[in-house]
Amino acid sequence: MATCIITGIGSGIGRATAIKLAQCGYYSHYALIGRNREDMDVTAKEMAKYIPAESMKLYYIDLSTPEEIPSLVTNIANDFGDIEALLNIAGYTDPQPLLTTTLDSFELTYKVNVYAPFMFMRECVKHMRQNGGKILNVASTAGMTPRPGWLSYASSKAAVISMSETLTAELSEYGIMVYCVSPGRCATKLRRRLAPDEDPTTIMQPEEVADVICNLLSPEERCLDGQNIVIRKQMRK
């Protein structure tokens, strides 16, 4: 059974990607991960329009406790068998300048944005290395250029980009391809925290990012791993 693990499916890019993948039919089973049960139920109901409800299972976890991830991945492997794909989409931000960034806030940002993807990758590779597969990490253009006032978030996304590029080479011997995408401004809950006064209808939508992600996960895509792929919608008059 081809199983795909997706984190952050309660809203935004995670929800849009899960629904799009259900339409594409690349995988037979889905392990859907998040922490808000009501939001996750909405996503699952949308996915059920395209795939059988029994082909997916919801796993509730707060990614600020990454030490719980090994047992979670073990449970997923026991429930579904082979793990073929991992999508690290969940993210967190507390936008603050240096002098008001607390250590607790900095640590929380890194636990969700860096430690959790690291733990998921490490544990999933234990199951994927026999048959290969794909890992896709969602970073951000904030991790590529200086973003004053976004210290913890920007630096955490820079770490995701670096991890992805490093693991592309390290995991190639197992037939595992590692992708990294860095969306620009996108109308998500996280973006509203970064730019609360921005009109979300004027920027890129989660569904547009999901389209790119699903193209990368296509069985025919074999060339674009190892890059930091920027997804940015140009402003049009």
Side-chain angles (χ1 to χ4, degrees):
M1 295 186 293
T3 301
C4 177
I5 298 175
I6 312 175
T7 73
I9 64 103
S11 64
I13 295 171
R15 170 179 287 175
T17 299
I19 295 170
K20 181 69 175 179
L21 279 176
Q23 293 175 282
C24 291
Y26 297 154
Y27 305 102
S28 58
H29 292 83
Y30 293 88
L32 306 174
I33 296 170
R35 64 188 180 92
N36 187 303
R37 293 174 182 264
E38 292 183 1
D39 289 344
M40 293 172 68
D41 286 342
V42 171
T43 302
K45 288 179 181 178
E46 287 299 311
M47 294 178 69
K49 295 178 181 178
Y50 309 102
I51 59 175
E54 59 269 21
S55 68
M56 52 185 159
K57 185 172 181 179
L58 305 181
Y59 298 85
Y60 306 100
I61 183 174
D62 188 332
L63 296 184
S64 66
T65 55
E67 60 273 12
E68 297 179 11
I69 291 173
S71 61
L72 173 62
V73 173
T74 297
N75 290 338
I76 292 171
N78 290 337
D79 290 339
F80 290 123
D82 289 342
I83 296 171
E84 187 171 306
L86 166 66
L87 279 64
N88 284 310
I89 301 179
Y92 173 80
T93 183
D94 179 20
Q96 298 286 342
L98 173 64
L99 296 182
T100 57
T101 298
T102 65
L103 181 58
D104 285 345
S105 174
F106 199 86
E107 287 183 333
L108 177 57
T109 303
Y110 267 67
K111 282 181 177 179
V112 177
N113 293 357
V114 182
Y115 299 171
F118 156 71
M119 292 293 283
F120 269 114
M121 289 189 288
R122 191 189 71 181
E123 297 306 308
C124 285
V125 165
K126 294 177 182 178
H127 300 275
M128 298 170 71
R129 59 184 172 180
Q130 299 300 322
N131 300 308
K134 291 189 174 185
I135 295 172
L136 184 140
N137 297 319
V138 175
S140 169
T141 54
M144 300 165 55
T145 56
R147 297 295 173 95
W150 298 7
L151 176 64
S152 59
Y153 179 75
S155 61
S156 72
K157 290 302 184 178
V160 172
I161 294 169
S162 180
M163 285 197 302
S164 302
E165 293 174 344
T166 298
L167 291 176
T168 295
E170 182 174 327
L171 301 181
S172 61
E173 66 175 295
Y174 303 126
I176 298 173
M177 304 177 72
V178 182
Y179 297 87
C180 182
V181 298
S182 287
R185 297 184 302 162
C186 184
T188 63
K189 289 182 179 179
L190 186 147
R191 176 67 191 181
R192 285 199 292 274
R193 296 187 68 184
L194 292 171
D197 298 326
E198 186 175 59
D199 180 355
T201 65
T202 65
I203 59 176
M204 184 166 59
Q205 299 301 303
E207 291 75 15
E208 294 175 294
V209 178
D211 285 341
V212 176
I213 292 174
C214 290
N215 286 337
L216 295 174
L217 294 177
S218 166
E220 286 74 38
E221 202 315 288
R222 309 299 298 176
C223 300
L224 297 174
D225 59 318
Q227 307 177 50
N228 177 33
I229 300 171
V230 174
I231 310 173
R232 181 182 285 122
K233 186 174 184 178
Q234 299 297 329
M235 297 299 293
R236 293 178 174 85
K237 296 180 179 181

